[in-house]
Amino acid sequence: MKKYTCPMHLQVIKDEPGKCPLCGMDLVPMGGPKKETHSHHGHQHHHGNKEHSHHSEDHSQHSESGYDKHEGHHTNDFLKRFWVSLIITVPILLLSQMIQEWFGFSISFPGDKYVLLALGTFIYIYGGMPFLKGMIGEIKAKAIGMMTLVAIAISVAYIYSVAVTFGLKGMDFYWELATLIVIMLLGHWLEMRSTMAASKALQSLVALLPNDVTVERHGEAIKIKLEELKNGETIIIKPGEKIPADGLVIDGVSYVNESMLTGESVPVKKEADEKVIAGSINGEGALRVTATGVGKDSYLNKVINLVQDAQAAKSNTQNLADKVAKWLTYIAIAVGVITFIYWFSSSGDIAFALERMVTVMVTACPHALGVAIPLVVAISTTLSATNGLLIRNRTAFETTRKLSTIIFDKTGTLTKGSHAVEKIIPLTDKYSANDMIQYAAAVQQYSEHHIAKGILKTLKERNLELWKSENFSYMAGIGVKAVVKGKEVVAAGPNYFKQNNLTEPETPKEINQNIETVNYVFIDGEVVGIITLADSIREGSREAIDDLRKMNIKSILLTGDNEKIAKAVSEQLGMDDYIANVLPHEKQEKVKEYQAKGEVVAMTGDGVNDAPALAQADVGIAVGSGTDVAAETADIILVNSDPRDVVKMIDFGKRTYKKMIQNLLWAVGYNVIAIPLAAGVLYPHFMLSPAMGAVLMSVSTIVVAINASFLKINK
């Protein structure tokens, strides 16, 4: 499943080869082509760089935001046509009367005008072919644009010149036609080069996969091609190698660099039972991994598809640019015709009038406008993806710059969501702190509760033995009990006292009840100690809230926890407000309440029970869904669980929007100035030649492409 794209319109992505619906150009393959045979004019084109040229069919479907890894043959086709046309242009210039008069020389021989006709015809057909084909494509697609304008301009110049050769009074146009085509071909080649460089970003994602993989089959290590790898096989990853597929580590320990997928610069330690993701780079250790996500199933591929979808989905700004470009095309044709009528009626000089008309049409090509937004989109979506911000909805991403309130779901977003043991306080001399952890862990080992997980983690950290327990029972909302070493052990919260009509011992002073959860340990009916647990605040939470305040965005804490904990956390982080005791199904209502007050609301949650609220918010941000791209209801997924990424994303949203506006202003502004000059408003003091108009048009597109490539994301 290969994908194909148009070299001029990066947003066009198709599953099979064909013509671009916007400009009629041949679509070129994305990703590294497997065979170098899809040359458009029978010329084989060999690449010096074979590095990624044999990506399998399976991953060459990676939706590139750009085109062929090796600057598509299309680009080279323009360059080849440019050189051939340039050579033909020399004799055309030498034989042209106008040029001879200017430079004061004379070359003439019988039939010289027919030689000019032949050379002019060749350059019109050979050099002008991409534009003529493009015009047919645009007309078929009912999307008249740049190619049509250029094609009309060169056709008018050519037909008029042929008429002059066969006796119409006037001066032929061959040399203008030739220089115009030569410059348009060169300009196009330069434009494609610059837009390609600007949208290379996604290309780099595809290059993350290795070509060969070492697998274990029948007890021996053999090298196979990546496309032959199957799920469930055992892969051997040597130090420094790229990881070829998502998988689970069987054995070995290493640090893996996942920065190109998550933006997290610190290498992550991987050992048995840890997940690895395709495209990340192994460090010093060797790993044996079971492949779980090969090819289409990999996280990398999901990200690439996600980026492709986000690029294909037009946002409001893109729709605006498309409308403007369409109108500009009609205006260009209209102004061209009016210009011709004006100059012809006032001077009677048909050659001069035609020259002005051709110049207007070429200069006014709305190409810069067509590229202005798609390029910024391609670059911003990819930059985000490689920095751990996955944009699933472009329109919501554009809304981030208008946000006034962000609601944070506490657990797992601002806090780590894992309850860690804070204090262990023995209440008798019979049992030590370690004994209490061992008894509590033995009872808790069959519970799924986060308190159980916290206690078992402490047991592991202290290298203590996990004892057996029997007759386990769970008391909902209270705690757990079981028999350990012949003793009846209970691990429970304060509710246990109420239920059994016991008096709760006084809570020791050193416990901060605002943030610590208290858990008592009973052995044979006697309270022997207290274990407290707390959900720790993520590093970066405070900084994120401070940064949001600087942006004039209110932050609200939303939690199912009690008033005390909610108040303590929100005060500790300096948040604007908190909402406590919220049940999962009420979260959506809370978002609606803020929207009803006219706030533009983002909801930030972990995507599991926050789905309705994420869908309700103007911008739904799923945090820390890690490598799970399936946070279906979120508009934006933050791969890392760092709340500072929310700030990074809003800042990046603003920068992206700024780049789009700069590009639009440039593309429109250039036309506002260039079209009147082309029409000859400053005649006779200043006149734009057709060739000069073509140069300006190409330059304006290149400026837009370069400006787009300056888009940066704050680390």
Side-chain angles (χ1 to χ4, degrees), residues 544-695:
I545 301 299
D546 290 346
D547 287 344
L548 289 174
R549 180 168 301 104
K550 286 179 199 144
M551 294 175 162
N552 289 324
I553 298 173
K554 293 195 277 295
S555 54
I556 315 286
L557 182 74
L558 182 71
T559 178
D561 282 342
N562 62 42
E563 240 353 89
K564 272 186 184 171
I565 293 183
K567 186 170 192 278
V569 172
S570 86
E571 280 173 3
Q572 194 178 344
L573 290 172
M575 297 176 77
D576 293 283
D577 202 356
Y578 64 87
I579 314 168
N581 297 317
V582 180
L583 294 169
H585 63 270
E586 297 170 346
K587 291 180 180 178
Q588 183 182 9
E589 292 308 313
K590 299 292 175 195
V591 173
K592 278 186 185 164
E593 282 169 29
Y594 278 96
Q595 285 171 324
K597 297 178 197 166
E599 301 280 350
V600 181
V601 181
M603 168 76 195
T604 310
D606 57 10
V608 186
N609 57 15
D610 304 327
L614 290 176
Q616 177 64 42
D618 298 279
V619 183
I621 307 167
V623 177
S625 36
T627 52
D628 178 21
V629 187
E632 280 307 320
T633 47
D635 299 309
I636 296 162
I637 301 169
L638 305 183
V639 177
N640 302 317
S641 304
D642 189 335
R644 284 171 297 197
D645 281 354
V646 175
V647 179
K648 188 157 95 174
M649 181 203 74
I650 294 171
D651 173 65
F652 188 56
K654 287 181 175 166
R655 284 164 189 254
T656 302
Y657 186 72
K658 215 157 102 188
K659 274 276 173 272
M660 287 179 176
I661 297 302
Q662 284 168 1
N663 275 359
L664 279 181
L665 289 175
W666 169 265
V668 175
Y670 141 82
N671 277 303
V672 169
I673 294 165
I675 293 176
L677 287 180
V681 284
L682 294 182
Y683 180 79
H685 309 292
F686 176 80
M687 242 178 42
L688 204 56
S689 70
M692 200 55 220
V695 168

Side-chain angles (χ1 to χ4, degrees), residues 66-83:
Y67 356 105
D68 182 325
K69 186 91 177 68
H70 321 280
E71 314 203 340
H73 302 142
H74 240 295
T75 329
N76 295 315
D77 181 43
F78 273 103
L79 193 59
K80 184 180 149 192
R81 286 174 190 262
F82 161 74
W83 285 116

Side-chain angles (χ1 to χ4, degrees), residues 500-516:
N500 293 301
N501 296 324
L502 301 168
T503 45
E504 190 179 338
E506 230 173 81
T507 310
K509 295 268 190 303
E510 69 257 43
I511 295 174
N512 176 357
Q513 282 178 295
N514 288 345
I515 47 178
E516 290 176 64

Side-chain angles (χ1 to χ4, degrees), residues 287-553:
L287 296 171
R288 275 175 73 231
V289 172
T290 303
T292 56
V294 173
K296 295 188 182 73
D297 306 331
S298 71
Y299 167 73
L300 177 67
N301 195 53
K302 287 177 186 153
V303 169
I304 288 171
N305 284 334
L306 214 148
V307 172
Q308 177 190 339
D309 295 345
Q311 283 180 18
K314 298 235 173 139
S315 64
N316 308 340
T317 324
Q318 173 63 52
N319 289 332
L320 170 73
D322 288 350
K323 276 196 191 110
V324 176
K326 198 161 134 194
W327 277 106
L328 200 62
T329 306
Y330 297 141
I331 290 168
I333 295 173
V335 173
V337 172
I338 294 164
T339 303
F340 173 75
I341 293 168
Y342 172 79
W343 285 113
F344 184 55
S345 59
S346 65
S347 70
D349 183 345
I350 190 166
F352 180 75
L354 276 175
E355 184 191 75
R356 289 301 93 218
M357 173 179 164
V358 166
T359 312
V360 166
M361 286 185 157
V362 173
T363 312
C365 275
H367 194 214
L369 237 164
V371 180
I373 308 290
L375 262 185
V376 177
V377 169
I379 293 167
S380 87
T381 328
T382 311
L383 258 181
S384 329
T386 50
N387 278 284
L389 317 175
L390 304 180
I391 299 170
R392 295 187 63 226
N393 178 337
R394 292 271 347 152
T395 309
F397 178 61
E398 282 190 12
T399 308
T400 54
R401 65 193 164 82
K402 303 182 194 156
L403 290 174
S404 61
T405 299
I406 298 189
I407 299 176
F408 286 94
D409 180 53
K410 178 181 80 84
T411 311
T413 307
L414 294 173
T415 64
K416 289 186 176 161
S418 56
H419 282 61
V421 172
E422 288 283 314
K423 302 186 180 77
I424 305 165
I425 307 167
L427 297 177
T428 70
D429 299 335
K430 286 188 221 166
Y431 299 101
S432 68
N434 279 356
D435 291 338
M436 281 169 48
I437 285 291
Q438 278 181 291
Y439 277 110
V443 180
Q444 294 275 15
Q445 63 186 313
Y446 302 115
S447 165
E448 278 300 302
H449 202 276
H450 45 242
I451 289 180
K453 288 178 183 161
I455 290 175
L456 285 160
K457 192 174 170 219
T458 305
L459 180 88
K460 200 175 168 186
E461 281 165 6
R462 296 189 172 203
N463 287 328
L464 300 171
E465 186 195 340
L466 178 58
W467 295 336
K468 285 196 178 67
S469 68
E470 43 223 8
N471 303 347
F472 170 81
S473 73
Y474 176 68
M475 303 171 276
I478 298 167
V480 290
K481 64 177 174 184
V483 175
V484 181
K485 300 209 155 189
K487 300 174 178 166
E488 186 165 285
V489 182
V490 174
N495 288 349
Y496 184 78
F497 293 97
K498 292 194 192 92
Q499 198 176 4
N500 293 301
N501 296 324
L502 301 168
T503 45
E504 190 179 338
E506 230 173 81
T507 310
K509 295 268 190 303
E510 69 257 43
I511 295 174
N512 176 357
Q513 282 178 295
N514 288 345
I515 47 178
E516 290 176 64
T517 306
V518 179
N519 200 268
Y520 293 94
V521 181
F522 298 80
I523 295 180
D524 288 335
E526 179 192 359
V527 181
V528 297
I530 296 174
I531 298 175
T532 72
L533 299 102
D535 184 2
S536 51
I537 286 177
R538 284 188 186 282
E539 47 291 349
S541 291
R542 175 81 212 211
E543 196 185 320
I545 301 299
D546 290 346
D547 287 344
L548 289 174
R549 180 168 301 104
K550 286 179 199 144
M551 294 175 162
N552 289 324
I553 298 173

